[in-house]
Amino acid sequence: MCGFVGFTDPAGGRETALDLAGRMLTDILHRGPDGTGTLHETGLTLAHCALRFVDVHGPGQPLRSASGRTVVVLNGEVYNHAELRRELVRGGARLRTAGDTEILAELYERTGMGFLRRLHGMFAFALYDRAHRKLILARDPFGKRPLYYLRTPAGVAFASELTPLLRHPACGGEPDVRALADYLVLRACPAPRSAVRHVAKVRAGSYVEASPGAGPDGFRETVYFTPGLPATRRRVPLRTAAAEFEDLLRAAVQRRVTGTPRRLGVLLSGGLDSSTVAALAQEISDRPVPAFTAGFADTAFDESSAAAAVARHLGLEHHLLRITEDDLAEAFTEEYTGIDEPLADPSLLPTLLLCRAAGQEVRSVLTGDGADEMLLGYRFFQAEKVLGLLGHLPRPLLEGLARSAARQGGPHRGNLPWRVALRRLAQGMNALPEQRFYAAGAPFRPDELAGVLSVRARHELVSHQPFEEVERVLAASPGLSPLERCQLGIITHFLRDVILTKTDRGGMRHALETRSPFLDRDLVEYCASLPAELKLRRLTAKYVLRRTAAGHLPPQAVRRRKLGFRAPVAALLSGRLRPVLMDALSPESLARHDLFEPSAVRRMVDDHLASRRDNSVRLWALLCFQSWHDAVLRPVRTVLPPVAAPSSGA
């Protein structure tokens, strides 16, 4: 894992370009402590910081192909690089490294961009075709690794995180109001927008080309992967499906464990997903696998005893991190300012703390990310199924349920108690299936934005459509049930823009790589091919996974109800973070950007602190944005000296 920055500038001088690249790289050195490299040639400047896993003693990046035609920088890992390497050698390629970065360059020169569909892994890369003066920026199918870009008068600037681009003279550093509106609904700024005006993200499963002949102004976007569900599903017995699923999951874990000589750990919550991954990893390993668990003082959020039981059963090397409200408050004030884009997922706080602890022992961890989305594991899927069964009831009865649930107020300390779950379901009842999850848990519904945004901000939101990407994805999979439309809606944004962003930033803030076996391409395709009843059987979620886990975990771990990895935000805002909340959302602070209506924000704060209404979800989104704005979009920072990095180019 690593990070990179770069830009095209046909008129740029060497010293000026390398100085700018070095200062940009400074902002993401946390992504790669194992060394840096730079390259400058006419029209292109690159800088890279490495966290090495595959060819740990080989040459660094940026990397030129053997022909000299192609230059590549890679953030991530290609898990099937050995297989692709053998194929290239049989075809006459003379490879000079043992790493996966060179594979990208050689495949591109032989097959063009079609090679993307053959890659298994997590990646974001920049590839420069010197012969055609073409720059290509690409991301893996689920966007596990970030990639931002800024179109400039001289071409394009790009980086693994948003913050470095603020140092580029072509970046104005103004918040993007449409991205802010998306964020207030979706809890993140989904691609292709970013939180900063004119800075874009490469979409997951896409690549963009910048060249003299690539469409308007030299840019073209190509989507090579869209998540979907096939029109017809495999009809296999449960026993067969469970066996096939286990084989694929084991292979996915094996690829991630054996693909590097470095020792790997597991983020172990005690839930079904991470426990199954830990079990398979331990079977592969010849020594106890390090497992890292977050424990909370509040029992409504704590799963540490379940994790400890799993660790004992499997013989793991268990590390327990006890997290207090003071720790969470400190993580917000000290760590959140290092996050390059606002993210209103409270579980980012314990993720940062747990990754910091894990990063002191290992350089990479396996996670259970993706299982809930692929196998219908959220309680919301169960609620969606129940809602489908109740769809015949009279609308007035359902609306009465919604009104009754909505009257339940006051901050809560528990981890999604029944009254809150009921209220959230009721809030989303009238939305489309693919939007219901967001309507239920959104900080603000689209029709509520006018009540919180300033007059100036509202003027920029004509025809705002936060679900454009969801509709694009659903168009490729027609004829789905409401439950499956809901599933694709969650995969499109919540998985790709919230969950995977959280694990990337939480891990890479502390040079810790996160790997997700459940998002292995073969396993994802297999899960998509299964009928819904093998994933959600009656109201038992992740049914085929439970059958697999039964052979590896104690019965209580297989039967445990999902708790979720959360932080007690309502209590934090009323307690340890109360002074931070009051200061950040004061009229004086809001006036720095004139994006929110101060009186509306003040009412939310007062109602929450007086326990009249639980506004924690809304206030958390506002607080995260405001803290990010003050930390990142502040006046131009003191110019730091360029990174002392050996140049690998001419």
Side-chain angles (χ1 to χ4, degrees):
M1 200 53 53
C2 45
F4 59 81
V5 303
F7 45 86
T8 58
D9 185 358
R14 173 185 173 85
E15 295 305 319
T16 300
L18 287 175
D19 177 73
L20 174 59
R23 287 186 284 113
M24 291 171 66
L25 193 67
T26 300
D27 286 323
I28 57 170
L29 285 177
H30 52 267
R31 298 187 72 92
D34 292 341
T36 60
T38 59
L39 178 146
H40 173 76
E41 60 181 51
T42 302
L44 176 70
T45 304
L46 297 171
H48 180 273
C49 58
L51 180 61
R52 297 187 175 191
F53 284 95
V54 180
D55 189 9
V56 295
H57 302 297
Q61 300 183 46
L63 183 143
R64 292 183 190 269
S65 64
S67 70
R69 171 188 159 191
T70 306
V71 179
V72 181
V73 282
L74 167 67
N75 170 18
E77 186 173 339
V78 178
Y79 296 127
N80 63 330
H81 72 93
E83 170 192 338
L84 297 171
R85 172 180 300 277
R86 289 191 293 270
E87 179 182 310
L88 285 167
V89 170
R90 286 195 299 269
R94 296 189 175 184
L95 303 179
R96 301 160 297 153
T97 75
D100 47 358
T101 306
E102 185 179 22
I103 300 299
L104 303 181
E106 298 298 332
L107 286 172
Y108 169 75
E109 291 184 358
R110 287 160 175 77
T111 65
M113 292 307 294
F115 78 90
L116 280 172
R117 296 179 178 84
R118 304 192 56 205
L119 301 182
H120 290 246
M122 51 180 181
F123 54 83
F125 65 80
L127 182 151
Y128 187 67
D129 183 333
R130 301 175 70 210
H132 297 94
R133 293 186 298 128
K134 177 166 62 176
L135 174 72
I136 297 169
L137 306 174
R139 287 179 80 191
D140 67 70
F142 285 96
K144 299 169 194 170
R145 297 297 168 247
L147 185 50
Y148 295 79
Y149 66 95
L150 167 70
R151 297 171 67 171
T152 73
V156 60
F158 49 93
S160 293
E161 293 186 10
L162 173 63
T163 312
L165 293 175
L166 298 175
R167 293 183 181 266
H168 195 281
C171 184
E174 294 293 324
D176 186 309
V177 175
R178 297 184 74 81
L180 169 61
D182 289 343
Y183 163 83
L184 293 175
V185 174
L186 302 170
R187 289 179 271 183
C189 301
R193 295 189 184 96
S194 84
V196 175
R197 194 187 301 271
H198 304 310
V199 176
K201 294 191 193 84
V202 179
R203 300 176 200 256
S206 301
Y207 63 90
V208 297
E209 298 175 76
S211 66
D217 300 324
F219 268 75
R220 177 171 61 218
E221 178 189 47
T222 300
V223 177
Y224 70 90
F225 173 86
T226 299
L229 297 167
T232 58
R233 311 296 163 80
R234 299 177 73 246
R235 295 291 172 180
V236 295
L238 175 59
R239 184 190 300 271
T240 302
E244 292 174 345
F245 176 87
E246 179 170 356
D247 288 344
L248 289 169
L249 180 57
R250 186 187 304 277
V253 173
Q254 177 106 22
R255 272 193 283 270
R256 286 153 180 80
V257 170
T258 60
T260 173
R262 290 187 184 272
R263 191 183 188 203
L264 269 67
V266 180
L267 295 186
L268 180 67
S269 69
L272 179 67
D273 311 337
S274 62
S275 296
T276 306
V277 167
L280 296 176
Q282 186 57 68
E283 289 179 11
I284 295 166
S285 178
D286 57 359
R287 55 178 173 167
V289 171
F292 304 91
T293 298
F296 298 91
D298 190 333
T299 56
F301 295 84
D302 185 56
E303 292 185 281
S304 61
S305 60
V310 168
R312 286 193 300 271
H313 180 83
L314 298 177
L316 305 175
E317 177 191 309
H318 195 213
H319 301 259
L320 175 60
L321 176 67
R322 287 288 177 189
I323 298 177
T324 66
E325 286 192 13
D326 285 349
D327 295 326
L328 293 170
E330 178 190 2
F332 184 82
T333 56
E334 300 295 330
E335 297 266 11
Y336 195 86
T337 55
I339 304 303
D340 68 320
E341 198 171 24
L343 182 67
D345 183 352
S347 65
L348 175 59
L349 294 184
T351 298
L352 283 163
L353 293 169
L354 187 59
C355 287
R356 183 171 67 186
Q360 296 171 3
E361 303 289 337
V362 297
R363 286 292 184 86
S364 184
V365 289
L366 302 175
T367 78
D369 292 339
D372 285 320
E373 293 82 5
M374 298 303 135
L375 295 170
L376 301 176
Y378 290 124
R379 288 181 190 153
F380 201 87
F381 291 129
Q382 297 169 315
E384 182 68 40
K385 188 168 185 178
V386 170
L387 191 60
L389 297 174
L390 298 178
H392 65 283
L393 295 178
R395 178 59 58 179
L397 180 59
L398 294 177
E399 291 176 351
L401 172 65
R403 286 193 298 271
S404 174
R407 283 195 294 269
Q408 300 290 333
H412 63 84
R413 293 188 59 86
N415 191 11
L416 203 66
W418 70 267
R419 62 178 177 81
V420 178
L422 182 62
R423 184 169 78 246
R424 289 186 179 181
L425 174 62
Q427 288 170 343
M429 195 172 295
N430 293 319
L432 295 172
E434 59 269 24
Q435 299 177 16
R436 205 144 28 217
F437 174 83
Y438 301 102
F444 300 90
R445 297 191 310 270
D447 62 351
E448 294 175 324
L449 293 177
V452 69
L453 292 174
S454 67
V455 173
R456 179 181 77 85
R458 293 200 299 269
H459 284 165
E460 296 191 38
L461 291 182
V462 178
S463 67
H464 172 240
Q465 298 290 340
F467 298 105
E468 287 176 317
E469 187 72 2
V470 172
E471 296 308 319
R472 183 186 71 81
V473 168
L474 283 169
S477 294
L480 299 179
S481 68
L483 175 63
E484 291 174 326
R485 291 178 70 88
C486 175
Q487 180 184 15
L488 276 188
I490 289 174
I491 289 172
T492 301
H493 280 315
F494 188 66
L495 174 61
R496 301 199 294 186
D497 295 313
V498 178
I499 297 297
L500 295 178
T501 298
K502 174 191 70 177
T503 54
D504 175 84
R505 303 312 196 275
M508 294 311 297
R509 180 70 182 159
H510 301 287
L512 181 75
E513 181 194 77
T514 53
R515 303 182 177 202
S516 311
F518 284 107
L519 292 178
D520 183 85
R521 195 183 75 180
D522 289 345
L523 188 60
V524 166
E525 291 175 354
Y526 182 78
C527 291
S529 75
L530 294 177
E533 55 264 27
L534 289 183
K535 306 168 194 175
L536 180 57
R537 192 177 183 91
R538 298 184 180 90
L539 293 181
T540 301
K542 296 180 286 195
Y543 195 76
V544 68
L545 174 59
R546 292 182 194 277
R547 289 293 295 259
T548 293
H552 304 275
L553 300 175
Q556 61 270 26
V558 177
R559 294 194 301 265
R560 280 191 75 243
R561 235 178 65 184
K562 180 178 179 61
L563 182 57
F565 189 57
R566 306 172 189 268
V569 169
L572 276 173
L573 293 176
S574 299
R576 285 285 286 106
L577 287 180
R578 181 175 181 142
V580 177
L581 178 73
M582 297 290 288
D583 178 64
L585 299 186
S586 68
E588 295 77 17
S589 296
L590 298 180
R592 293 171 193 158
H593 50 57
D594 187 28
L595 293 172
F596 301 129
E597 176 56 49
S599 60
V601 174
R602 186 69 200 185
R603 284 194 299 272
M604 289 182 226
V605 173
D606 290 346
D607 284 347
H608 183 82
L609 296 182
S611 297
R612 289 190 292 267
R613 183 181 295 273
D614 181 1
N615 284 327
S616 57
V617 175
R618 294 181 169 193
L619 292 177
W620 189 253
L622 296 175
L623 176 60
C624 289
F625 179 87
Q626 189 69 21
S627 298
W628 167 82
H629 179 275
D630 290 347
V632 177
L633 292 191
R634 58 188 182 272
V636 178
R637 289 165 284 184
T638 302
V639 175
L640 299 175
V643 177
S647 175
S648 58

